[in-house]
PDB file of all heavy atoms in Angstrom:
ATOM      1  N   PRO A 159      57.268  23.145  34.929  1.00 38.00           N
ATOM      2  CA  PRO A 159      55.973  22.874  34.284  1.00 38.00           C
ATOM      3  C   PRO A 159      56.072  21.707  33.327  1.00 38.00           C
ATOM      4  O   PRO A 159      57.131  21.382  32.825  1.00 38.00           O
ATOM      5  CB  PRO A 159      55.666  24.186  33.554  1.00 38.00           C
ATOM      6  CG  PRO A 159      57.009  24.786  33.289  1.00 38.00           C
ATOM      7  CD  PRO A 159      57.852  24.420  34.461  1.00 38.00           C
ATOM      8  N   GLY A 160      54.890  21.081  33.048  1.00 37.00           N
ATOM      9  CA  GLY A 160      54.834  19.972  32.093  1.00 37.00           C
ATOM     10  C   GLY A 160      54.947  20.498  30.680  1.00 37.00           C
ATOM     11  O   GLY A 160      55.113  21.688  30.439  1.00 37.00           O
ATOM     12  N   PRO A 161      54.833  19.583  29.705  1.00 36.00           N
ATOM     13  CA  PRO A 161      55.050  19.956  28.303  1.00 36.00           C
ATOM     14  C   PRO A 161      53.929  20.799  27.720  1.00 36.00           C
ATOM     15  O   PRO A 161      54.074  21.332  26.624  1.00 36.00           O
ATOM     16  CB  PRO A 161      55.150  18.612  27.595  1.00 36.00           C
ATOM     17  CG  PRO A 161      54.398  17.660  28.468  1.00 36.00           C
ATOM     18  CD  PRO A 161      54.611  18.147  29.864  1.00 36.00           C
ATOM     19  N   GLY A 162      52.737  20.930  28.412  1.00 35.00           N
ATOM     20  CA  GLY A 162      51.638  21.727  27.854  1.00 35.00           C
ATOM     21  C   GLY A 162      50.855  20.918  26.837  1.00 35.00           C
ATOM     22  O   GLY A 162      51.043  19.725  26.692  1.00 35.00           O
ATOM     23  N   PRO A 163      49.940  21.577  26.106  1.00 39.00           N
ATOM     24  CA  PRO A 163      49.093  20.886  25.125  1.00 39.00           C
ATOM     25  C   PRO A 163      49.941  20.197  24.066  1.00 39.00           C
ATOM     26  O   PRO A 163      50.927  20.736  23.590  1.00 39.00           O
ATOM     27  CB  PRO A 163      48.245  22.016  24.513  1.00 39.00           C
ATOM     28  CG  PRO A 163      48.289  23.121  25.528  1.00 39.00           C
ATOM     29  CD  PRO A 163      49.632  23.015  26.188  1.00 39.00           C
ATOM     30  N   VAL A 164      49.489  18.998  23.687  1.00 34.00           N
ATOM     31  CA  VAL A 164      50.201  18.247  22.659  1.00 34.00           C
ATOM     32  C   VAL A 164      49.812  18.811  21.300  1.00 34.00           C
ATOM     33  O   VAL A 164      48.628  18.931  20.994  1.00 34.00           O
ATOM     34  CB  VAL A 164      49.847  16.753  22.753  1.00 34.00           C
ATOM     35  CG1 VAL A 164      50.550  15.981  21.648  1.00 34.00           C
ATOM     36  CG2 VAL A 164      50.217  16.209  24.114  1.00 34.00           C
ATOM     37  N   PRO A 165      50.731  19.175  20.441  1.00 38.00           N
ATOM     38  CA  PRO A 165      50.373  19.744  19.140  1.00 38.00           C
ATOM     39  C   PRO A 165      49.724  18.707  18.246  1.00 38.00           C
ATOM     40  O   PRO A 165      50.025  17.531  18.307  1.00 38.00           O
ATOM     41  CB  PRO A 165      51.731  20.199  18.576  1.00 38.00           C
ATOM     42  CG  PRO A 165      52.733  19.311  19.238  1.00 38.00           C
ATOM     43  CD  PRO A 165      52.197  19.076  20.625  1.00 38.00           C
ATOM     44  N   VAL A 166      48.763  19.171  17.386  1.00 41.00           N
ATOM     45  CA  VAL A 166      48.109  18.307  16.412  1.00 41.00           C
ATOM     46  C   VAL A 166      48.848  18.442  15.097  1.00 41.00           C
ATOM     47  O   VAL A 166      49.128  19.533  14.623  1.00 41.00           O
ATOM     48  CB  VAL A 166      46.635  18.716  16.235  1.00 41.00           C
ATOM     49  CG1 VAL A 166      45.986  17.888  15.141  1.00 41.00           C
ATOM     50  CG2 VAL A 166      45.878  18.546  17.551  1.00 41.00           C
ATOM     51  N   VAL A 167      49.146  17.309  14.493  1.00 42.00           N
ATOM     52  CA  VAL A 167      49.895  17.313  13.244  1.00 42.00           C
ATOM     53  C   VAL A 167      48.926  17.473  12.084  1.00 42.00           C
ATOM     54  O   VAL A 167      48.068  16.618  11.879  1.00 42.00           O
ATOM     55  CB  VAL A 167      50.697  16.004  13.089  1.00 42.00           C
ATOM     56  CG1 VAL A 167      51.470  16.026  11.776  1.00 42.00           C
ATOM     57  CG2 VAL A 167      51.634  15.829  14.269  1.00 42.00           C
ATOM     58  N   PRO A 168      48.981  18.575  11.338  1.00 49.00           N
ATOM     59  CA  PRO A 168      48.077  18.748  10.209  1.00 49.00           C
ATOM     60  C   PRO A 168      48.503  17.862   9.046  1.00 49.00           C
ATOM     61  O   PRO A 168      49.621  17.364   8.988  1.00 49.00           O
ATOM     62  CB  PRO A 168      48.215  20.230   9.875  1.00 49.00           C
ATOM     63  CG  PRO A 168      49.610  20.570  10.302  1.00 49.00           C
ATOM     64  CD  PRO A 168      49.886  19.718  11.509  1.00 49.00           C
ATOM     65  N   GLY A 169      47.570  17.683   8.055  1.00 73.00           N
ATOM     66  CA  GLY A 169      47.904  16.945   6.852  1.00 73.00           C
ATOM     67  C   GLY A 169      47.627  15.475   6.924  1.00 73.00           C
ATOM     68  O   GLY A 169      47.759  14.784   5.911  1.00 73.00           O
ATOM     69  N   ALA A 170      47.264  14.935   8.079  1.00 90.00           N
ATOM     70  CA  ALA A 170      46.915  13.522   8.204  1.00 90.00           C
ATOM     71  C   ALA A 170      45.422  13.413   8.426  1.00 90.00           C
ATOM     72  O   ALA A 170      44.816  14.236   9.105  1.00 90.00           O
ATOM     73  CB  ALA A 170      47.664  12.876   9.361  1.00 90.00           C
ATOM     74  N   ALA A 171      44.778  12.394   7.841  1.00 93.00           N
ATOM     75  CA  ALA A 171      43.330  12.221   7.984  1.00 93.00           C
ATOM     76  C   ALA A 171      42.962  12.089   9.449  1.00 93.00           C
ATOM     77  O   ALA A 171      43.593  11.346  10.204  1.00 93.00           O
ATOM     78  CB  ALA A 171      42.885  10.993   7.209  1.00 93.00           C
ATOM     79  N   GLY A 172      41.937  12.839   9.836  1.00 93.00           N
ATOM     80  CA  GLY A 172      41.475  12.785  11.205  1.00 93.00           C
ATOM     81  C   GLY A 172      40.001  12.451  11.336  1.00 93.00           C
ATOM     82  O   GLY A 172      39.525  12.186  12.432  1.00 93.00           O
ATOM     83  N   SER A 173      39.256  12.438  10.211  1.00 95.00           N
ATOM     84  CA  SER A 173      37.840  12.102  10.256  1.00 95.00           C
ATOM     85  C   SER A 173      37.334  11.851   8.847  1.00 95.00           C
ATOM     86  O   SER A 173      37.935  12.288   7.862  1.00 95.00           O
ATOM     87  CB  SER A 173      37.014  13.222  10.902  1.00 95.00           C
ATOM     88  OG  SER A 173      37.050  14.393  10.089  1.00 95.00           O
ATOM     89  N   ILE A 174      36.203  11.146   8.766  1.00 97.00           N
ATOM     90  CA  ILE A 174      35.499  10.963   7.502  1.00 97.00           C
ATOM     91  C   ILE A 174      34.008  10.971   7.805  1.00 97.00           C
ATOM     92  O   ILE A 174      33.566  10.418   8.822  1.00 97.00           O
ATOM     93  CB  ILE A 174      35.919   9.661   6.784  1.00 97.00           C
ATOM     94  CG1 ILE A 174      35.247   9.571   5.406  1.00 97.00           C
ATOM     95  CG2 ILE A 174      35.640   8.437   7.640  1.00 97.00           C
ATOM     96  CD1 ILE A 174      35.815   8.453   4.529  1.00 97.00           C
ATOM     97  N   GLN A 175      33.236  11.640   6.967  1.00 97.00           N
ATOM     98  CA  GLN A 175      31.804  11.705   7.209  1.00 97.00           C
ATOM     99  C   GLN A 175      31.024  11.545   5.913  1.00 97.00           C
ATOM    100  O   GLN A 175      31.496  11.889   4.824  1.00 97.00           O
ATOM    101  CB  GLN A 175      31.418  13.015   7.894  1.00 97.00           C
ATOM    102  CG  GLN A 175      31.608  14.251   7.041  1.00 97.00           C
ATOM    103  CD  GLN A 175      31.235  15.519   7.787  1.00 97.00           C
ATOM    104  OE1 GLN A 175      32.109  16.187   8.342  1.00 97.00           O
ATOM    105  NE2 GLN A 175      29.958  15.850   7.791  1.00 97.00           N
ATOM    106  N   PHE A 176      29.803  10.994   6.049  1.00 98.00           N
ATOM    107  CA  PHE A 176      28.905  10.813   4.909  1.00 98.00           C
ATOM    108  C   PHE A 176      28.257  12.156   4.575  1.00 98.00           C
ATOM    109  O   PHE A 176      27.809  12.883   5.457  1.00 98.00           O
ATOM    110  CB  PHE A 176      27.843   9.780   5.259  1.00 98.00           C
ATOM    111  CG  PHE A 176      26.677   9.748   4.306  1.00 98.00           C
ATOM    112  CD1 PHE A 176      26.859   9.378   2.978  1.00 98.00           C
ATOM    113  CD2 PHE A 176      25.405  10.098   4.736  1.00 98.00           C
ATOM    114  CE1 PHE A 176      25.787   9.358   2.094  1.00 98.00           C
ATOM    115  CE2 PHE A 176      24.326  10.078   3.872  1.00 98.00           C
ATOM    116  CZ  PHE A 176      24.515   9.699   2.539  1.00 98.00           C
TER     117      PHE A 176
END
Side-chain angles (χ1 to χ4, degrees):
V164 178
V166 175
V167 180
S173 66
I174 185 169
Q175 67 181 96
F176 166 65

